[in-house]
Amino acid sequence: MTELSESHDDPFAQHLAALAVLDDRGVVVGWNRRAKELLGHPDTAVIGRSALGVLVDPGDLPAVREAAADARRTGGWFGVLNVRHRDGRLVEMGLRAHALWRDGRVREWLLAGALAADVLEWQRDRAVLEGLYRRCPIGLVVHGPDLRLLRVNRAVERFSGVPAADFRGLPTGCFLLPDDARKAVDRVRQVMETRRPLIYSEQFTRLEQDPARERVAMVSSFPMEDPSGRILGVAEMIEDITERHRAQRRLALLDEAGGRIGTTLDVAETARELAEVMVPHLADHASVDLLQPVTRGEELARPLAGPVVRVGTSGIGAQAGPPHPEPVEFAPGTPQARCLTEGRPVLEAVLPPDWLSWFSAEGHRGARAPELGAHSLIVVPVAARGLVLGVMTLWRSRRPDPFEADDLTLAQELAARAAVAIDNARRFTQQQQTALTLQSSLLLREVPDQSAVEVALRYLPASAASGLGGDWFDVIPLSGARVALVVGDVVGRGIHAAATMGRLRTAVHTLASLDLEPDEVLSRLDDLVNLLAAEQEAVGEPPVGEQVVGATCLYAVYDPVSGRCSMARAGHPPPVVTAPDGQVSLLDLPAGPPLGLGGLPFEAQDVELAEGSLLCLYTNGLIGERHIDADAGLTKLRAALTRPTDALERTCQAVVDSLVPSRPSDDVALLIARTRMLPPDDVASWCLPLEPASAARARDLTSAKLTEWGLEHLAFSTALIASELVTNVYRYAGGPATVRLIRERCLVCEVGDASHTSPHLRRARTTDEGGRGLFLVAQMTERWGTRYTREGKIVWTEQPLAGMFA
């Protein structure tokens, strides 16, 4: 009986098998309970009788006799035979016969039987188990409760290169590098403690005997228990998916690159995106060097070998250095120089011992290796439309495995995709620079000299993806020491918007020279925008909505003598005023319609501004970003303007830092002015009655005041000017004459009256008694003109303080 299997699921085990004992003649001498259960014969019905007569059907006698002969010849037998049940039916059973030897000869035979179906199932299970250990391509590792290896199959032997027998008794994680071994031990311990399986967990492993090669294994772990629930260990199925994982990683990298590279029409940004995609998925350090003309958006007339500018870098840890803005030349013989010249990729799987000499040339710091630990290199051309735009360099230093041919193919594919985006960005940059050149030539470049306000300006163009806009600002000196402050925004983008902006800015200058009121200036601008739209339609240009549909504008005139500011706006955001005590308010100006609607009125409003107040004019790009609520933007703007005594440039920058993102989606024009007041001692005014003696009175008053100011050299000319202008009031206008002198950058003389009739300069004939007054005024002044007020008009003159004839 000791020959029988003790496995709990073996159908021939003592507790499962039907057992019978036969003597040398085939007579049954033993019969167990399981035999009775399967065949229905009690022991009293079979013991002492021939097994052939009781248990074998006559039709099966030949097969039984053949099996008995094999058993006598070999001492044992195993197979499947039909056995007769007590009720006469035949039961197919698997039988195993063992000879029981005594004194060197057979005395009895032990027969163990089980249902054939159970035997076949058990055999299949044994075959599967045997296949797992000998033929299965998936690794099988059995860990004992003490975290030592009990058995591994031949797949693990092939995976590790270590004979399977050498694993027995070794600790879990042996032959792996320490970090990977710790992960393996933690996984087995977790399954053993929780008794819950872990399915399809990935582990990156390196063998101690081959640390440079990283492998990826798919591991499924499950606990092993005996029938009583006692833990016997943990079994793990391990599949080497290194090649599959690499292929998936390459596909994922290609997919990621498609979404990350070329998100903007910016050459440098696209190069940075390319470098960042490479790290850490493919390389430890990546750099993208582009030919200098490419970075400037210029056309490449012929293939070039340099110089290059490093515009994109990415690396792990300390390797992530900044780009090099200065152009450099690759040293002859370096992989980068060869790649740039020949347009072919270079793969140095293992760097030669003298590779540092490639980068030792003076002045080639932009081409140096990221660190001395680099051991593998790939250089691929960044080429599009038949021209090499630059090179991409990939290094491995921390990852021990070298670059392979598949890595080179992937790098070429990514570089080719990025090259198209870079070339598109280059072409767009060329167009943008043309438009920016046009726009910058039309914008205010330098704040003109004037005494009314201190000004700080910022113009921030929209990001390349959004396109060029038509925002502008202006500071225009006016007569009487006044200044006009203008901010406008042309609707639309591109060169058309910039050109329209230039036309509107020119028109504003022309209208400002006429000294019109702010509401009148906007009315004239409205007419001009309507005219431009009509011209577009007349020549058959695209719909106005795609080009220029109008504009918004705010026009303000500040007088430093009175401290009054007159403003009007056409659909433009209202200005923000900060009082000298830091109180910030949003001026409630009548909104007015945007320019281009036509036929609607504009309304001006006067505001008293104390000296030292801040007046902030801006375009909607400052507060109207898509991700910022306009009210929130105004709140931030007010918060940035609460310190009126700070340096104006600092305040202006604080506003930009607070509200403008790094890549604004709309142009931003910002003008902040701090008001000044002319000292009362620098202003003198008199009201003279409408009588002949007023001209002499004007001469006396102006001469006295100029003597008081120390401007005696201007007394004669100014007295003559005032006399002639007052005489004209007496002759041609009505009401009293107002004479005002202003001493600032120049000497201003103003004479006002209640008439709206414009004086004309004419050349008098020799026989004429009059008509020479304005001619004399024009000859004796640097500038002169007329401005109209609601009460009448003012004729003004300007003379340099040094004197025209000094």
Side-chain angles (χ1 to χ4, degrees), residues 641-775:
L641 294 172
T642 55
R643 301 170 64 90
T645 59
D646 283 358
L648 207 55
E649 286 294 330
R650 183 187 305 171
T651 301
C652 196
Q653 189 59 43
V655 171
V656 171
D657 294 341
S658 176
L659 285 108
V660 182
S662 58
R663 299 181 64 84
S665 62
D666 193 6
D667 286 21
V668 175
L670 174 64
L671 185 155
I672 302 179
R674 178 181 286 125
T675 61
R676 296 168 175 159
M677 293 285 288
L678 290 184
D681 291 344
D682 288 341
V683 180
S685 62
W686 306 275
C687 185
L688 303 178
L690 193 63
E691 59 184 30
S694 293
R697 178 65 175 159
R699 286 195 299 270
D700 295 339
L701 292 173
T702 54
S703 297
K705 177 53 72 173
L706 291 179
T707 301
E708 179 184 337
W709 283 347
L711 299 176
E712 295 89 345
H713 59 284
L714 295 177
F716 173 77
S717 59
T718 306
L720 181 58
I721 291 169
S723 172
E724 290 295 334
L725 294 179
V726 169
T727 299
N728 282 345
V729 172
Y730 172 74
R731 288 182 176 179
Y732 308 112
T738 303
V739 180
R740 185 169 71 166
L741 295 180
I742 302 174
R743 180 180 60 176
E744 46 134 9
R745 296 176 298 107
C746 61
L747 178 63
V748 178
C749 177
E750 298 179 341
V751 175
D753 57 58
S755 172
H756 287 86
T757 303
S758 175
H760 295 285
L761 179 65
R762 64 187 179 89
R763 185 176 299 274
R765 292 172 295 184
T766 55
T767 57
D768 290 342
E769 296 183 0
R772 298 176 178 84
L774 285 182
F775 180 78

Side-chain angles (χ1 to χ4, degrees), residues 607-658:
V607 179
E608 297 286 343
L609 297 180
E611 185 174 13
S613 299
L614 296 185
L615 179 63
C616 179
L617 310 182
Y618 53 92
T619 55
N620 59 6
L622 185 69
I623 61 170
E625 283 283 334
R626 295 176 182 174
H627 64 283
I628 299 179
D629 178 72
D631 291 337
L634 287 172
T635 300
K636 288 185 177 181
L637 177 58
R638 287 194 292 263
L641 294 172
T642 55
R643 301 170 64 90
T645 59
D646 283 358
L648 207 55
E649 286 294 330
R650 183 187 305 171
T651 301
C652 196
Q653 189 59 43
V655 171
V656 171
D657 294 341
S658 176

Side-chain angles (χ1 to χ4, degrees), residues 435-449:
L436 284 172
T437 300
L438 171 63
Q439 188 181 47
S440 62
S441 67
L442 299 174
L443 282 173
L444 175 67
R445 296 187 177 184
E446 184 178 352
V447 178
D449 291 335

Side-chain angles (χ1 to χ4, degrees), residues 335-562:
Q336 288 90 342
R338 300 202 312 269
C339 179
L340 194 62
T341 303
E342 301 171 6
R344 292 185 294 180
V346 176
L347 170 62
E348 295 283 351
V350 178
L351 291 174
D354 62 342
W355 67 271
L356 282 175
S357 63
W358 296 343
F359 307 95
S360 60
E362 184 67 25
H364 298 91
R365 62 185 183 280
R368 292 180 59 187
E371 61 178 33
L372 297 181
H375 62 84
S376 191
L377 168 72
I378 281 179
V379 184
V380 295
V382 179
R385 300 178 176 96
L387 286 175
V388 177
L389 309 178
V391 294
M392 177 177 68
T393 306
L394 305 179
W395 301 89
R396 280 187 181 172
S397 55
R398 298 193 177 190
R399 294 174 58 173
D401 48 319
F403 286 117
E404 301 175 348
D406 288 342
D407 298 323
L408 178 62
T409 302
L410 178 61
Q412 285 182 275
E413 173 66 23
L414 293 173
R417 292 189 180 189
V420 175
I422 289 173
D423 193 48
N424 290 338
R426 178 195 62 78
R427 297 184 176 196
F428 180 77
T429 299
Q430 190 176 40
Q431 295 179 358
Q432 281 291 98
Q433 288 175 344
T434 301
L436 284 172
T437 300
L438 171 63
Q439 188 181 47
S440 62
S441 67
L442 299 174
L443 282 173
L444 175 67
R445 296 187 177 184
E446 184 178 352
V447 178
D449 291 335
Q450 43 80 39
S451 304
V453 292
E454 177 190 357
V455 177
L457 304 168
R458 290 291 187 279
Y459 176 77
L460 304 171
S463 62
S466 300
L468 191 67
D471 294 16
W472 90 92
F473 44 59
D474 228 322
V475 178
I476 308 173
L478 301 177
S479 63
R482 298 169 306 134
V483 66
L485 305 175
V486 190
V487 172
D489 184 0
V490 173
V491 179
R493 297 200 177 279
I495 294 180
H496 288 276
T500 302
M501 176 270 290
R503 298 173 76 173
L504 292 182
R505 180 170 179 254
T506 302
V508 170
H509 271 263
T510 302
L511 296 172
S513 67
L514 298 177
D515 263 328
L516 300 176
E517 294 292 325
D519 53 345
E520 182 65 20
V521 170
L522 295 183
S523 295
R524 303 286 182 89
L525 280 179
D526 183 58
D527 295 338
L528 176 60
V529 173
N530 285 322
L531 178 61
L532 295 178
E535 289 178 354
Q536 269 188 336
E537 295 178 357
V539 297
E541 291 187 5
V544 178
E546 298 180 12
Q547 297 285 344
V548 179
V549 299
T552 65
C553 184
L554 192 150
Y555 187 87
V557 176
Y558 173 69
D559 186 350
V561 177
S562 64

